[in-house]
Structures are given as structure tokens and as C-alpha cells.
Amino acid sequence: MERSAGRSHRRRRRSRPVLGGTLAVVAAAALTVTGLVSTAQAADVNNAKNAGFESGLANWTCSGGSGAAVSSPVRSGTSALKATPAGQDNAKCSQSVKVKPNSTYALSSWVQGGYAYLGVSGTGTTDVSTWTPGSSTWTKLSTSFRTGANTTSVTVYTHGWYGQSAYFADDVEVTGPDGGGGEEPGPVVPAAPAGLAAGATTTSSVALSWNAVSGATGYKVYRDGAQATTSTGTSATVTGLTADTAYQFSVSATNAAGESVKSAAVSARTAKQGTGPGPGPSMPKHAVTGYWQNFNNGAAVQKLSDVPADYDIIAVSFADATPTPGAVTFNLDTAGLNGYTDAQFRSDIKAKQAQGKNVIISIGGELGTVRVDNDASATAFANSVYALMQDYGFNGVDIDLENGLNATYMTKALRQLSAKAGPGLVLTMAPQTIDMQSTSGEYFKTALNVKDILTVVNMQYYNSGSMLGCDGKVYSQGSVDFLTALACIQLEGGLDPSQVGIGVPASTRGAGSGYVAPSIVNAALDCLTKGTNCGSFKPSKTYPSLRGAMTWSTNWDATAGFAWSKAVGPHVRSLP
């Protein structure tokens, strides 16, 4: 949502009550006779800077690189803060705010996601804070504080909690007397973009690029007058088009103040049928899967070409939901990836495939909102994913829907996609541990429903707490027993061993909990495939064709000096 133009957060102080009509008349007469005039109180202002994170993290400092400005979800404007706790870091983001001594201020912020705290320190009187255990919608945190006699600045902060999921914050307010910095002037509506040009086309997509506009925080792309997609950079690919068809495109620039007029339109025609990508590289018997981040959350920023050769399947994370239920698109975060261009990205996909690697598009993630729960959304899902495969050359799709999955309609969607893509489709899944505890669960049912076209299920053995193993005993995450006893449920529940992989964080910062050293991963692989290096749990038989291992993410692996892939990659290739 966008902020309304000219929106103000000012409050005026209330006047003192009049003590009787006679007194009021006398007071008024006295002012008339003497010429005395009272001075009005100055209006309160919001003393926080970059309060809506429209300028990224300007004026804010986040511990351990835990914070990032994101375009979704936002409460207003085009940006919000996302901060992710990891290990011993609670993702604290703070700002020094100028204030007046002996003054009262209202402190508030809107938050969403995991545990979120809002507070202030250095008040000179009583420091305060408030918090919420988490919310799936925007929730307002509010408190107040008073400054001491010598207090001219305070530190306002937000933070999450250890082992919990990421939180979001937007529209921070420190409302009270002007501390000397004044209230920030609002942005102005940007100018219309220039230089719009059409680039590469496929049977179902057209690539577009344009010149940057000063003050813009995002762009809207229109197809034949209707909005088709958005972008935070100066390029986008419009998908879901009809082959051999002419379209007109235009683009506008946006920020918190509003949207510019549209640019001059350009025309482009999609390619004729028969120009899509061919079959991908063959899948090795044992494979390592790594998720590549199309965003900057404090992990090492990578180009696709930076991903080491130890990874056999690279899952590009993540596709974005569109206004059409079930449909997805992909927008390369050029700005967040230090200028990595769409052309470079496409070239890197081809280079990885030439090296024998499969590059797939991942749907979902922690905050993914893609819903496939009826026939129309199943068809939209299949069509849009196939369009991305044709456009970018992706070899397949990864299902990482952590906010619910309908087995009936996801099965239909994947069947439709398989019919379009053919036998070369790479289909992976990354359910949470709770999703694979029973074959009656929607995720497990989906995996079994598409077993004939399924490549691998890389369950996430982290952020879950203790869970039941296939022997009915409870195991704590972070141990070799947790990995082997939970894998056993899938192996004995109907999946082929070649369709089972072990998913773990690449570093202590890659997840809130559940990190295990690479040596533990290798021990679990040995236990399941050869019956060696087991813990207290030892499966009743071995599974030599077990597919391998997965990690979140190649970026966190890079942050830790590639310790994970250097240890696990060669070990997977050495399995029987």
C-alpha cells in the first residue's frame, strides 16, 4: 500500500478548559486592553528518520547484518524492514533520535511475522519496551516515554527473539516535540520512466528494460493498459503471454508519494511455438541441492555463477505470487544483488546447465503466499511455472510452501505442469518436519500422488523442535538420530530412497535452530546408506540409493567459507 500524499502525523496539544463564562470574558478583555498575546504551542512531529524504510536502512543499524528493506509485505509505502534472528543474534535494528529534555513522546510501530519488540533506551528517566509474540497481519505496538532534564537523544530499537522467525516493521513513530531534526519532508511523485525497450522474447514472455528514475522506489509494468507485474529494478519480464502475439507495454515509477504517469509505450511480439528450452542435464544418482537467494538478508550476495560445482541442483529462491490465484512470476532483485542484471542471470543459468547442473525455480519460502486450492488456481500455477521454464530455461520447480498446501489441487497442478514440460521435469519439495510425520498429511500425500514424476523430497530438519522418529520415539533436532529416524518415516512411508534427501542449514546463521555440523550430515548419510556411523537409532535396513542432501542456502554456505559444500558435496558423491 502507498502512503497518501501529504499524510501528517502531527498532534496538537489540547487547550486548558475555560473556568466559567465570566472568567473567560474578563480574560479576553484583559488581553484586548493590554495587547498581550499568548504564543501557540508548536505542533508535535515524528522525530524518527526513514520511519517507513523507504530509503532502505538509511539512519538504521541492524546487528550482524540481520536487517534488510523489502518490498513485501509492507504496511504503507513501498518498503518495510525485515530482520531475521540467527544463532545468538536477536536481529536488533536501532536509530538515534533527537529529542527535547523534560518532554513526553509516543513511540509506536507496526509489526508482523515472528516475535517483535519495540523499545527505547537512554531516556534519562525510565526506558520502556513492548512486544508481541507474532502475528500474520500488521499489528501496532505502542508505548510512551519521558526524557530527563539533560536528554537530547535516545535510541529507538526493534528486535526479534532467538530461534524465532523473521519479523517485519514499518511506520515507526517517535511523536512529540521537535528535538531539532524536524519532521522529514515527504517524497514527491517521481517522473515517468524513459528509455523503455523490449528485449528477448519467448513464446510466452517479453523482457523489458528502462532508465532509472530519481526518487523512485519501484516500478509498475503495464501490458495493453493493465498492470502485469512490478519491479524494484530497471528491468522486468512479463510472462503468461500467448505465442506469436503482439502486445503494447508501458511502465510507471512509484514511491511513497504515489505513481508517475506511464512512459511512452513500446510494442513487442512473442515468439512462435516450438522455441522453448529442451531437456535438461541428467540427474546424478546422488545429488546435492542448494537454494540460491534472490535477495540480500545478510548472507553473502552471489551471482548464480558463484555457486560452487558441489551443487547438482540449484533452486532459485523464490518466485513471486501475482494477483491471479495460483499464478507466479519471477523478478530478479537487481538492486539487492549489487547490480546483477537479468541478462547475466540468464547467461549464468545456461552456463550451469552446460556444466551438468539443473537450475529450478522455487515456489514459496517462509513468507510465500501462493495458494493452489481449486481447479482455476491449479491451472494458473501450471501455466505460469511452465512460462517461467520457457522464459528463463529453468529445468523444473521446487515446492516450498510453508503456509499450507492442498494435496488434491497441487497434485492437479503438478500433473498439468508435467504434461507440458515432459519427462525431463525436475520436481523437488522442501516440506517442514511436521509435514512429513504422517502419510495422511497434505504434503506427504502430494509427494506420494506424484511419486512417478518426483525427483526428491528434501525435508527441512530445522526450526522444528523435537519430533517423532519412525520407531515412535522422540528425537531432538541437531543430532544424527534426528536426521536418520525422521528420514526413516519417508523411506518406510512409500517414497523411493532415491526421492529422499536431508535438508539442513549451511551455517549457524542459516536458521533459527537445528544447525548441525557437516560431519553429522555425513554420518547420517552413512547410517542410512551403509548402516555405519549411526547414533542410538539404527534403521532395520540400509537405503543405498538415497538421493543425498540439501542446504539453505548457497549464500549462507558462502558466508561460512563454503565449509558445508566442501565437506558434504564430496561425501554425497562417494555414496554407494
Side-chain angles (χ1 to χ4, degrees), residues 127-146:
D127 295 347
V128 297
S129 65
T130 183
W131 67 287
T132 175
S135 172
S136 59
T137 59
W138 287 105
T139 300
K140 189 175 185 179
L141 291 177
S142 301
T143 185
S144 63
F145 64 93
R146 185 165 180 81

Side-chain angles (χ1 to χ4, degrees), residues 24-35:
V25 172
V26 172
L31 286 173
T32 303
V33 172
T34 61

Side-chain angles (χ1 to χ4, degrees), residues 116-205:
Y117 290 72
L118 173 69
V120 60
S121 61
T123 63
T125 56
T126 303
D127 295 347
V128 297
S129 65
T130 183
W131 67 287
T132 175
S135 172
S136 59
T137 59
W138 287 105
T139 300
K140 189 175 185 179
L141 291 177
S142 301
T143 185
S144 63
F145 64 93
R146 185 165 180 81
T147 57
N150 299 308
T151 305
T152 57
S153 68
V154 296
T155 298
V156 172
Y157 62 84
T158 63
H159 68 71
W161 199 246
Y162 309 101
Q164 301 300 315
S165 59
Y167 70 90
F168 298 85
D170 203 358
D171 298 333
V172 179
E173 293 193 19
V174 186
T175 306
D178 188 347
E183 190 166 40
E184 284 187 305
V188 296
V189 175
L196 178 63
T201 62
T202 70
T203 56
S204 61
S205 67

Side-chain angles (χ1 to χ4, degrees), residues 3 9-10 45-61 81 93-99 107-108 154 156-157 169-175 177-186:
R3 287 195 181 96
H9 301 294
R10 292 182 171 88
V45 302
N46 182 10
N47 290 270
K49 303 299 181 183
N50 191 24
F53 302 94
E54 303 302 321
S55 300
L57 295 183
N59 300 103
W60 293 91
T61 300
L81 168 70
C93 296
S94 60
Q95 177 182 151
S96 178
V97 177
K98 292 182 179 180
V99 293
L107 173 64
S108 66
V154 296
V156 172
Y157 62 84
D170 203 358
D171 298 333
V172 179
E173 293 193 19
V174 186
T175 306
D178 188 347
E183 190 166 40
E184 284 187 305

Side-chain angles (χ1 to χ4, degrees), residues 51-415:
F53 302 94
E54 303 302 321
S55 300
L57 295 183
N59 300 103
W60 293 91
T61 300
C62 294
S63 60
S66 57
V70 295
S71 58
S72 178
V74 298
R75 187 204 167 241
S76 66
T78 58
S79 295
L81 168 70
K82 177 183 180 181
T84 307
Q88 299 301 308
D89 181 19
N90 64 1
K92 182 176 182 179
C93 296
S94 60
Q95 177 182 151
S96 178
V97 177
K98 292 182 179 180
V99 293
K100 276 190 173 181
N102 294 324
S103 300
T104 299
Y105 291 84
L107 173 64
S108 66
S109 177
W110 291 82
V111 296
Q112 185 181 145
Y115 279 65
Y117 290 72
L118 173 69
V120 60
S121 61
T123 63
T125 56
T126 303
D127 295 347
V128 297
S129 65
T130 183
W131 67 287
T132 175
S135 172
S136 59
T137 59
W138 287 105
T139 300
K140 189 175 185 179
L141 291 177
S142 301
T143 185
S144 63
F145 64 93
R146 185 165 180 81
T147 57
N150 299 308
T151 305
T152 57
S153 68
V154 296
T155 298
V156 172
Y157 62 84
T158 63
H159 68 71
W161 199 246
Y162 309 101
Q164 301 300 315
S165 59
Y167 70 90
F168 298 85
D170 203 358
D171 298 333
V172 179
E173 293 193 19
V174 186
T175 306
D178 188 347
E183 190 166 40
E184 284 187 305
V188 296
V189 175
L196 178 63
T201 62
T202 70
T203 56
S204 61
S205 67
V206 173
L208 301 168
S209 62
W210 55 88
N211 299 335
V213 176
S214 176
T217 56
Y219 300 89
K220 293 183 179 181
V221 179
Y222 293 85
R223 181 196 70 203
D224 293 339
Q227 185 178 326
T229 187
T230 60
S231 175
T232 56
T234 55
S235 64
T237 299
V238 179
T239 59
L241 308 180
T242 302
D244 195 21
T245 303
Y247 294 91
Q248 278 204 327
F249 301 95
S250 58
V251 63
S252 66
T254 62
N255 63 16
E259 179 181 0
S260 74
V261 298
K262 296 175 185 175
S263 69
V266 297
S267 297
R269 178 176 288 274
T270 50
K272 295 181 179 181
Q273 288 287 0
T275 59
S282 60
M283 186 64 59
K285 179 181 179 180
H286 301 294
V288 175
T289 302
Y291 286 80
W292 175 84
Q293 299 178 189
N294 178 40
F295 50 86
N296 181 357
N297 66 346
V301 173
Q302 288 183 318
K303 297 180 175 67
L304 209 61
S305 56
D306 297 329
V307 177
D310 285 307
Y311 291 97
D312 304 293
I313 304 173
I314 304 170
V316 172
S317 310
F318 294 98
D320 301 312
T322 75
T324 302
V328 298
T329 187
F330 178 74
N331 299 291
L332 186 70
D333 186 8
T334 297
L337 301 182
N338 300 333
Y340 190 30
T341 67
D342 184 77
Q344 289 175 311
F345 176 69
R346 293 170 184 270
S347 177
D348 287 345
I349 291 175
K350 293 180 180 178
K352 283 296 180 184
Q353 292 166 337
Q355 297 165 11
K357 312 301 181 183
N358 280 280
V359 182
I360 62 178
I361 182 68
S362 183
I363 313 295
E366 177 193 0
L367 300 170
T369 57
V370 179
R371 297 286 181 184
V372 179
D373 50 16
N374 55 40
D375 286 323
S377 58
T379 298
F381 180 90
N383 289 343
S384 61
V385 172
Y386 184 59
L388 290 178
M389 292 177 63
Q390 287 189 301
D391 185 8
Y392 288 91
F394 293 128
N395 302 114
V397 64
D398 170 69
I399 308 301
D400 183 19
L401 296 174
E402 300 179 18
N403 296 294
L405 182 150
N406 183 303
T408 299
Y409 294 104
M410 181 52 73
T411 298
K412 289 185 176 183
L414 295 176
R415 288 290 179 195

Side-chain angles (χ1 to χ4, degrees), residues 13-28:
R13 299 181 186 275
R14 294 180 178 178
S15 302
R16 293 183 178 180
V18 175
L19 301 178
T22 302
L23 180 59
V25 172
V26 172

